[in-house]
Amino acid sequence: MTAIDQSRTVAVVGTGTMGQGIAQVALAAGHPVRLYDAVPGRVGEAADAIGARLDRLVEKGRMGAAERDAARARLHPAANLAELADAALVVEAVLEQLAVKQELFTALEEIVANDCLLATNTSSLSVTAVAGALRHPGRFVGLHFFNPAPLLPLVEVVSGHATDEATATRAWATAAAWGKTPVRCADLPGFIVNRIARPFYAEAFAVYEEHGTDPATIDAVLRESGGFKMGPFELTDLIGQDVNEAVTRSVWESFFHSPKFLPSLAQRRLVESRRLGRKSGHGWFSYAEEAPKPAPHTAEPARAPEYVVVEGDLEPAGELIAMIREAGIEVRQKDEDKGTRLVLPSGGQLVLADGQTSVEFRDVVYFDLALDYRSATRIALSAADNVGDETLEQATGLFQALGKQVSVIGDVPGMIVARTVAMLGDLALDAVAKGVATKEDIDTAMRLGVNYPLGPLEWNDSLGRDWAWELLGNLHESVPTGRYARSLALHQWSYATSQKGAS
């Protein structure tokens, strides 16, 4: 099945930011576009706004003047739904209300030709439910663009329960022809991105609610150690706390209040107080002109230890051994079958986050996971009150000698990056096992849709079979709410990987 020919009309219903963006994408691909909105006057305003954006593309040298003029000539505001009769594809971007969408598509079904594809851009509703009111739901599909649609490449092509395979294939091919990167997924809550991304926000909010550290520090650790482009606090302030919390709540409710998707009470309080982020001038942070930029907690300079004793290979933090030697610190190797432990001259230990708490042991400081320990500019350390001052100073000085800024947080099991990455990987494996999407499409979606430094399954593979398994198992013992219970998919993946390695 091939893409819809560019000579065929694409109709967009709904003229908000997303509707305008989708219309611009279809115009740029060469289609005639009909634009409709039920509110009088909005179609004209939207057409003017799209034209202005095309003008800016010309000013920036990204589009020729003749190309812009041709695109403008192909944009046709529609006064009523009947004018969409010649459309080969109708994409809806109206209110996220099931009844509103069903009423719209029921009316469209009586107007468009039998071969016209009907698509919803919903991000939170069931594609199957929207199509439930139609006589011919086989031609209905989800086309979930990400905002801003002209810039972000990802499109989730969502097959409802009754969607024909030919419909999904043609929608996928059309999105690809428009220069997008489409991924196929089943109609399960959150699709790919909004389902799997929940721990990125939830774990950060949980660390804050546990009084582990402040939002600015959590953001800095996830950026500078985890490799994420933005931290969850600054990102949700940008998205809007009301919008992000509504998506989280929708996914949680759709999964029958599963503890894995539990919303944050702290975020709920922000929404209730109308501290919605940048758009209201205050969210997790203040955006008033005189407000200082929030700074992460950074430890004062400390003296590095003269030597460390390495027990095991430190995987997946093995690169630290070479880095410590390069910093001029003596490394004494102790033969062990495996381990992620450094013994400091104080007698205290420095251990990679494993889901346990520092208070459970004598004089243990935990250090967080990094995407790449060489390029990371910040490392978080976690210590209980019973950790000796000398041990904490030597642990801090060690990472400072490696050129890292150090943030010392409270006794948080799994710390920040480690628990986030483990939960992302677990949810991603679960999504593959339940037929949401392929491993490749999930990793692609998370890299392109939310700009993750690695796909969660790619990251999981690189960390090895035991890492997430052990960390989540320990977390579940520490916090036995079911939130950190390992999925059956992680269980099976870990054993399958073990057997493959043994053979």
Side-chain angles (χ1 to χ4, degrees), residues 275-286:
R275 289 191 165 188
L276 305 181
R278 289 181 179 270
K279 63 186 177 183
S280 69
H282 204 303
W284 296 108
F285 307 115
S286 173

Side-chain angles (χ1 to χ4, degrees), residues 98 102 105 126-138 140-141 160 162-163:
L98 180 60
Q102 287 182 329
F105 283 110
S126 163
V127 171
T128 301
V130 177
L134 300 181
R135 289 182 289 104
H136 303 291
F140 192 85
V141 68
T163 302

Side-chain angles (χ1 to χ4, degrees), residues 12-57:
V12 178
V13 180
T15 59
T17 301
M18 186 58 75
Q20 291 179 29
I22 295 169
Q24 183 179 333
V25 171
L27 282 173
H31 291 274
V33 173
R34 295 194 185 278
L35 196 58
Y36 173 77
D37 197 294
V39 179
R42 284 195 178 172
V43 170
E45 294 172 1
D48 290 343
I50 293 170
R53 283 200 291 272
L54 296 177
D55 288 341
R56 288 195 291 273
L57 290 176

Side-chain angles (χ1 to χ4, degrees), residues 31-177:
H31 291 274
V33 173
R34 295 194 185 278
L35 196 58
Y36 173 77
D37 197 294
V39 179
R42 284 195 178 172
V43 170
E45 294 172 1
D48 290 343
I50 293 170
R53 283 200 291 272
L54 296 177
D55 288 341
R56 288 195 291 273
L57 290 176
V58 172
E59 292 169 3
K60 295 177 180 179
R62 297 176 183 172
M63 175 181 277
E67 185 182 0
R68 173 203 57 197
D69 294 343
R72 277 182 163 175
R74 293 194 302 273
L75 180 60
H76 308 288
N80 53 65
L81 283 179
E83 294 183 35
L84 311 185
D86 65 337
L89 167 66
V90 181
V91 184
E92 161 273 316
V94 301
L95 292 175
E96 285 287 88
Q97 296 178 9
L98 180 60
V100 172
K101 293 179 188 291
Q102 287 182 329
E103 182 179 358
L104 169 65
F105 283 110
T106 299
L108 283 168
E109 196 173 36
E110 302 300 322
I111 294 168
V112 298
N114 291 335
D115 65 345
C116 176
L117 298 189
L118 300 178
T120 176
N121 184 59
T122 185
S123 61
S124 61
L125 298 177
S126 163
V127 171
T128 301
V130 177
L134 300 181
R135 289 182 289 104
H136 303 291
R139 62 167 164 172
F140 192 85
V141 68
L143 278 179
H144 181 213
F145 289 77
F146 288 74
N147 191 32
L151 297 180
L152 294 186
L154 184 69
V155 177
E156 292 177 324
V157 180
V158 187
S159 291
H161 186 71
T163 302
D164 291 336
E165 176 62 25
T167 296
T169 300
R170 193 168 198 200
W172 187 98
T174 299

